[in-house]
């Protein structure tokens, strides 16, 4: 290598090599499928350009230690954050998705906790090596959205909660650890199941798409998922959008058919529960 | 202890890393250990369980922050948002110093999440010194830089690793987190004498020491932190204590983590070396 290569150029070369897909023995140590494209030449080219050999290792072998470490670490992080998605897709399709995602969305955060945040946006664009059905993809997308919300709620902030009496007078926001999700498939049920037998998977696959309204929130140090009626969800969304109790209720009331008779009598109960859980804070 | 301005004249003794698998037991039993080291990034969050645990432990023990994502060797400088979050955490933990690794790890906002080695060049010294000075100015705490374990060497290097480390800490007026396991790992991988490395360092700048276990993978030793400390590393540690004085020492065990008692027993092995040395306060430069 030219001895005067600027430091930035050296770092750009090396990072580019690390981001190349795994191949050879490094790849066989993962659940990634073999690549029909074969090994990338970038790693060995960069290694020869930048690195010296040691007594026992060629430059490419030395760089490969970092290359595999880069991928192992990121793949492990995604596996940890999306266990239900992996159960649904199966190991091969999940790792295929994970590799494609990491190639398209390398980490931009100082922490691996944020690594999967863009997975729901990427998932519909992913070309699976072994095509999955449209239903599988749609179900997977809802699962990914749920598992991202769980990660976000886990580490989100908590502001001083408002007392019930203050709701009418203040600008209101939801606590950062309260996440609202409207999803088409019963992925919350699947997420709760630690194992997914083929019979159970079949039952999920027969589920009809219809909207489910979910709240993902933190209670103490635990993250929980709860289904709520459509009207309750709509009120929380309106509160999030308007920041005002009265305006939120007005907005919801103007949607034809949204507030049913039984809902109107339950609004006070919903608010009591939400206030007791400390879900509202100053906006 | 080797109290110096790089460890805020702390008289900490033996510490272990605060790992989530041990948290309930630590809070329940308040084990006999002098301090805990935390990975800063694990607690750079807005809320939730990590901070709740941290606050509980900090109520009983000194906490020292050790980072993995500052990347002081990054050619494009430091991430200001990261620095500000790090500073926020230092207010919470009241850490007496902040440490991170002598490495780089990101380019143009893309993060490798690895501790990547630097070429030992004058340009890399200048860049790293400038970054560490900026970190010190922002954090308003002593900054302590850890020597890396590495598996690669660059054509571009014009000096040895210890010369590079010396130039960086002298230039930035920073402390050293002396990882004796890392010296051992790199000495085997690159074929140098680890005792010569130790002897060449400015010992008055050593604020803290790490000891850890490692694994062999074919022809190389990998810094896995998944085993007890081997005899060769304890011998190197003994020499480090002779040279640096009694220095706050931390056992790292980050993978295949055994129960808390096993980790503590391994950490306390360091005491026999520490107690053989007199207490002294050292003044650098």
């Amino acid at each position: 290598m030219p001895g005067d290569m600027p430091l930035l150029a050296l770092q750009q070369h090396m990072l580019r090599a690390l981001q190349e897909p795994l191949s050879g023995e490094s790849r066989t140590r993962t659940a990634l499928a073999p690549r029909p494209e074969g090994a990338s030449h970038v790693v060995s080219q960069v290694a020869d350009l930048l690195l010296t050999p040691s007594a026992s290792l060629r430059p490419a072998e030395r760089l490969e230690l970092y290359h595999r470490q880069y991928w192992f670490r990121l793949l492990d992080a995604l596996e940890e954050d999306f266990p239900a998605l992996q159960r649904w897709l199966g190991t091969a399709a999940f790792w295929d998705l994970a590799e494609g995602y990491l190639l398209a969305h390398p980490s931009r955060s100082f922490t691996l906790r944020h690594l999967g945040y863009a997975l729901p946006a990427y998932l519909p664009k992913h070309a699976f090596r072994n095509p999955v059905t449209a239903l599988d993809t749609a179900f997977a997308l809802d699962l990914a959205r749920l598992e991202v919300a769980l990660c976000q709620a886990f580490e989100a902030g908590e502001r001083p909660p408002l007392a019930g009496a203050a709701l009418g007078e203040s600008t209101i926001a939801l606590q950062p650890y309260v996440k609202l999700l409207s999803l088409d498939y019963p992925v919350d049920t699947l997420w709760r199941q630690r194992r997914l037998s083929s019979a159970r998977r079949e039952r999920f696959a027969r589920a009809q798409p219809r909207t489910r309204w979910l709240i993902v929130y933190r209670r103490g140090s635990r993250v929980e998922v709860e289904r709520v009626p459509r009207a309750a969800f709509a009120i929380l969304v309106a509160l999030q959008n308007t920041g005002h109790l009265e305006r939120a209720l007005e907005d919801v009331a103007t949607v034809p058919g949204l507030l049913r008779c039984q809902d109107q009598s339950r609004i006070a109960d919903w608010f009591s529960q939400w206030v007791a859980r400390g879900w509202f804070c100053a906006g | 202890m080797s109290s110096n301005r790089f460890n805020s004249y702390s008289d900490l003794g033996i510490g272990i890393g605060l790992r989530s698998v041990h948290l309930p037991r630590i809070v329940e039993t308040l084990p006999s250990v002098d301090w805990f080291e935390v990975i800063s990034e694990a607690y750079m969050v807005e809320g939730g369980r990590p901070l709740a645990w941290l606050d509980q432990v900090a109520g009983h023990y000194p906490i020292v922050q050790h980072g993995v994502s500052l990347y002081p060797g990054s050619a494009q400088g430091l991430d200001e948002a990261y620095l500000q979050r790090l500073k926020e955490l230092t207010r919470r933990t009241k850490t007496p110093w902040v440490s991170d690794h002598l490495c780089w790890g990101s380019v143009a906002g893309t993060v490798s999440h690895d501790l990547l080695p630097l070429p030992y060049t004058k340009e890399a010294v200048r860049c790293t010194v400038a970054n560490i000075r900026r970190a010190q100015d922002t954090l308003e705490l002593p900054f302590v830089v850890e020597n890396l374990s590495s598996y690669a060497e660059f054509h571009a290097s014009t000096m040895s690793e210890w010369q590079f480390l010396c130039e960086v800490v002298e230039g930035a007026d920073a402390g050293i987190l002396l990882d004796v396991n890392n010296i051992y790992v790199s000495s085997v991988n690159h074929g140098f004498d680890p005792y010569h490395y130790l002897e060449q360092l400015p010992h008055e700048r050593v604020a803290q020491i790490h000891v850890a276990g490692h694994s062999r993978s074919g022809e190389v030793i990998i810094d896995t932190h998944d085993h007890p400390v081997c005899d060769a590393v304890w011998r190197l540690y003994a020499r480090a204590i002779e040279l640096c004085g009694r220095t706050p020492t931390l056992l790292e065990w980050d993978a295949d983590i055994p129960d808390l008692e096993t980790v503590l027993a391994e950490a306390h092995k360091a005491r026999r070396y520490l107690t053989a040395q007199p207490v002294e306060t050292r003044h650098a430069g």
Side-chain angles (χ1 to χ4, degrees), chain B residues 11-285:
Chain B
D11 58 355
L12 299 178
I14 305 291
I16 63 170
L18 188 64
R19 301 293 172 260
S20 56
V21 290
H22 293 150
L23 279 166
R25 183 122 180 95
I26 289 168
V27 171
E28 180 193 323
T29 64
L30 299 180
S32 172
V33 66
D34 301 323
W35 54 288
F36 284 99
E37 184 183 81
V38 298
I39 300 299
S40 299
E41 290 77 5
Y43 301 93
M44 288 162 66
V45 294
E46 302 296 323
R49 184 162 50 190
L51 288 181
W53 282 119
L54 178 64
D55 290 344
Q56 276 191 274
V57 176
H60 299 280
Y61 299 92
I63 299 288
V64 175
Q65 281 182 226
H66 180 52
V68 293
S69 299
L70 183 83
Y71 302 134
S74 274
Q76 292 178 311
L78 305 182
D79 176 344
E80 180 61 28
Y82 170 90
L83 264 184
Q84 291 303 328
R85 292 185 76 152
L86 184 62
K87 181 169 186 169
E88 205 173 307
L89 185 65
T90 65
R91 294 195 184 106
R92 190 175 197 118
T93 62
K94 300 184 173 52
T95 183
W97 68 91
V98 172
S99 64
D100 208 310
H101 302 79
L102 188 54
C103 71
W104 68 279
S106 68
V107 175
T110 296
V111 183
S112 70
H113 299 282
D114 202 353
L115 309 171
L116 299 173
L118 285 158
Y120 304 135
T121 63
K122 291 290 182 189
E123 186 200 2
V125 169
R126 282 194 300 275
C127 163
T128 309
V129 163
N131 286 337
I132 291 176
R133 283 196 173 274
R134 182 173 159 211
Q136 286 170 322
D137 289 347
T138 302
L139 298 172
E140 299 177 288
L141 281 167
F143 189 84
V144 172
V145 65
E146 177 180 342
N147 57 296
L148 210 59
S149 57
S150 67
Y151 319 107
E153 295 163 296
F154 292 92
H155 291 295
S157 291
T158 56
M159 62 185 95
S160 66
E161 181 184 332
W162 50 92
Q163 286 171 319
F164 182 74
L165 175 58
C166 291
E167 291 207 14
V168 166
V169 294
E170 300 283 356
D173 195 17
I176 296 175
L177 196 177
L178 184 64
D179 190 315
V180 291
N181 179 60
N182 286 353
I183 295 178
Y184 180 77
V185 167
S186 294
S187 75
V188 173
N189 291 341
H190 306 319
F192 62 75
D193 175 2
Y195 290 89
H196 178 70
Y197 185 131
L198 266 185
E199 281 152 17
Q200 299 307 307
L201 297 178
H203 305 118
E204 69 283 3
R205 288 184 180 274
V206 175
Q208 181 191 341
I209 295 179
H210 273 171
V211 289
H214 55 251
S215 302
R216 184 169 278 278
S217 173
E219 299 298 321
V220 292
I221 294 186
I222 308 285
D223 182 29
T224 46
H225 297 180
D226 60 352
H227 281 79
V229 181
C230 72
D231 289 344
V233 171
W234 280 126
R235 286 194 293 274
L236 201 55
Y237 174 69
R239 180 62 181 144
I241 292 297
E242 280 174 11
L243 292 168
C244 304
R246 290 172 53 180
T247 305
T249 298
L250 179 116
L251 173 79
E252 295 183 294
W253 203 321
D254 301 319
D256 295 334
I257 302 175
D259 60 51
L260 179 63
E261 287 66 27
T262 304
V263 174
L264 287 170
E266 189 67 12
H268 286 306
K269 287 180 188 171
R271 277 204 197 282
R272 61 184 154 147
Y273 303 99
L274 284 185
T275 50
Q277 290 296 317
V279 177
E280 59 179 315
T281 299
R282 303 180 70 136
H283 297 275

Side-chain angles (χ1 to χ4, degrees), chain A residues 29 34-35 46 68 72-73 94 143 178 190 214-215 224 231 274:
Chain A
R29 288 172 60 170
R35 271 174 64 82
V46 169
R68 75 167 58 148
F72 289 178
R73 184 174 285 120
F94 176 80
L143 262 177
V178 177
L190 189 148
L214 304 182
I215 316 289
E224 305 203 358
W274 297 337

Side-chain angles (χ1 to χ4, degrees), chain A residues 88 135 139 184-187 200-210 212:
Chain A
W88 176 254
L135 172 69
F139 206 100
D184 291 332
Y185 294 93
V187 293
R200 198 172 275 169
R201 194 181 193 290
E202 281 299 308
R203 280 203 298 280
F204 278 113
R206 285 197 297 273
Q208 293 301 309
R210 67 175 171 79
R212 279 92 174 164

